[in-house]
Amino acid sequence: MGRLAVAAAVAVWAIPIAALLDSVVPEPYMDEIFHVPQAHQYCHGDILTWDPMITTPPSPYYVSLIYVVSLFPVACMIRVTETFDALCCQWCRLIRTRSSPQGQCFSLALSDAGAKEAHVVSPHFAQFLYFGLVSAAALLPWHFTLSQVLDLFRWFRKKKTCSSLAVLMALGLSFIAVHFFSVTHLYLLADNRHYTFYIWRKFIQVNWMMKYILVPLYVFSWFSIINVIGKSQTRVWVLSFVLSVALVLVPAPLVEFRYYTIPFIILVLHSPVIGNSKLLALGSLYAAADLFTLAMFPFRPFHWEHEPGTQRFMW
């Protein structure tokens, strides 16, 4: 019953959005020319074929396929009628509509494919800092409040010497990471279809000092995250989470919010519960971001002079 309720709730908003986007953008867009055929292969049961042009690991397809099977087990058992194939492929199209920050972990559509040379492993330690600030900002009721600042201050006062050294070390290592290990990827500078292009150009690179000015915010964000999850998790869990985030994000040269999605969801699920009013405010903020994104993608297209076709804004 729970699975049916989840499927029904998702279908209520996903099907109309999918129908709208399919009517406005009927053809595969950008990397979808690779991902749509790959999704069809998986829906048809062929999990061994993999398009070498896709740089995303196969795991999103496995997760999506398992999710579809769990929601539509009857259709899966009667595959001889091709019902499951149709449902699976349709579900992939529904997942495609989730171009918001919250939906990128399951997105088949937005996974920058192309030359693998553009996705080589790099020591991008600044990426770890970006995640801290983005996550803390996306969870305002937990982190950027006066009560949290005071709580963090009291937390530091308990062990003055250790906390002072920790802050100084964090600031020093963060300055080193920003100065020596910031990777400005070619896609980030050239591809104006992505919101990160504008964030980078209008905010990070607005002045040569900006990346250094943001270092205290990075440090505050990470200390706040550790403080908050430390209230409900063990030290071993917190340390494991921090190290796991670093292992996942540091090798990635491109700044992409979709890389943050799974660590962000884990962070949310393991943070202490906040009041309903704050959750409602946070949900409203996410809904507004969703609506803005979903309006910009189909209704604000633009064209490049050097390349034919219609371009669209997306995360």
Side-chain angles (χ1 to χ4, degrees):
M1 187 65 183
R3 291 177 179 176
L4 290 176
V6 171
V10 172
V12 165
W13 57 259
I15 290 177
I17 292 174
L20 171 65
L21 292 183
D22 282 344
S23 65
V24 178
V25 191
E27 299 298 326
Y29 177 66
M30 215 169 84
D31 296 350
E32 288 182 339
I33 61 174
F34 306 113
H35 286 276
V36 169
Q38 186 64 56
H40 278 262
Q41 291 283 354
Y42 273 52
C43 289
H44 295 154
D46 182 4
I47 62 173
L48 299 179
T49 301
W50 186 252
D51 190 335
M53 287 299 290
I54 298 177
T55 58
T56 307
S59 52
Y61 290 94
Y62 293 138
V63 173
S64 300
L65 191 59
I66 292 169
Y67 192 47
V68 175
V69 170
S70 68
L71 289 176
F72 305 104
V74 177
C76 178
M77 289 186 290
I78 56 173
R79 280 196 71 245
V80 291
T81 64
E82 298 187 355
T83 304
F84 176 71
D85 293 353
L87 282 171
C88 181
C89 293
Q90 179 61 23
W91 190 261
C92 291
R93 298 176 75 183
L94 297 180
I95 294 172
R96 186 186 72 178
T97 67
R98 298 295 295 148
S99 54
S100 66
Q102 300 94 302
Q104 292 169 43
C105 65
F106 296 113
S107 173
L108 304 183
L110 304 184
S111 300
D112 291 353
K116 292 184 182 293
E117 293 78 12
H119 296 273
V120 294
V121 173
S122 305
H124 193 185
F125 288 97
Q127 182 94 273
F128 177 78
L129 303 178
Y130 302 152
F131 170 81
L133 179 56
V134 170
S135 297
L139 297 172
L140 282 171
W142 275 280
H143 302 288
F144 286 98
T145 61
L146 180 59
S147 61
Q148 174 59 12
V149 173
L150 294 175
D151 190 36
L152 206 56
F153 181 71
R154 288 192 292 268
W155 186 45
F156 285 139
R157 286 190 62 185
K158 289 181 180 179
K159 295 182 179 180
K160 294 182 179 179
T161 304
C162 292
S163 60
S164 298
L165 287 174
V167 170
L168 290 175
M169 285 183 61
L171 286 170
L173 291 173
S174 297
F175 273 108
I176 292 172
V178 166
H179 185 77
F180 293 105
F181 299 101
S182 290
V183 179
T184 305
H185 198 280
L186 178 62
Y187 290 177
L188 192 63
L189 297 176
D191 196 341
N192 66 343
R193 294 170 293 189
H194 298 276
Y195 292 118
T196 48
F197 169 88
Y198 301 95
I199 294 172
W200 191 262
R201 189 180 67 173
K202 299 289 187 180
F203 193 64
I204 302 293
Q205 286 196 327
V206 69
N207 186 286
W208 70 270
M209 291 184 62
M210 181 57 71
K211 63 180 182 180
Y212 301 108
I213 293 173
L214 290 173
V215 166
L217 269 180
Y218 298 145
V219 173
F220 170 83
S221 298
W222 264 112
F223 273 117
S224 182
I225 288 172
I226 293 170
N227 171 256
V228 168
I229 59 177
K231 294 176 181 177
S232 57
Q233 305 298 326
T234 65
R235 291 183 179 180
V236 173
W237 192 97
V238 174
L239 179 62
S240 300
F241 173 75
V242 173
L243 292 177
S244 298
V245 171
L247 288 172
V248 169
L249 296 181
V250 169
L254 182 60
V255 178
E256 281 274 14
F257 289 150
R258 64 189 173 93
Y259 298 158
Y260 303 166
T261 306
I262 293 178
F264 176 75
I265 291 175
I266 293 173
L267 174 62
V268 172
L269 292 176
H270 291 85
S271 295
V273 177
I274 58 174
N276 290 334
S277 59
K278 290 183 177 180
L279 280 176
L280 181 61
L282 199 61
S284 300
L285 181 64
Y286 290 170
D290 272 357
L291 291 173
F292 174 80
T293 304
L294 290 170
M296 292 292 288
F297 182 78
F299 301 125
R300 291 297 301 272
F302 62 98
H303 299 275
W304 284 344
E305 293 182 359
H306 61 281
E307 186 174 316
T310 301
Q311 309 303 329
R312 300 180 184 277
F313 296 106
M314 63 186 193
W315 286 104

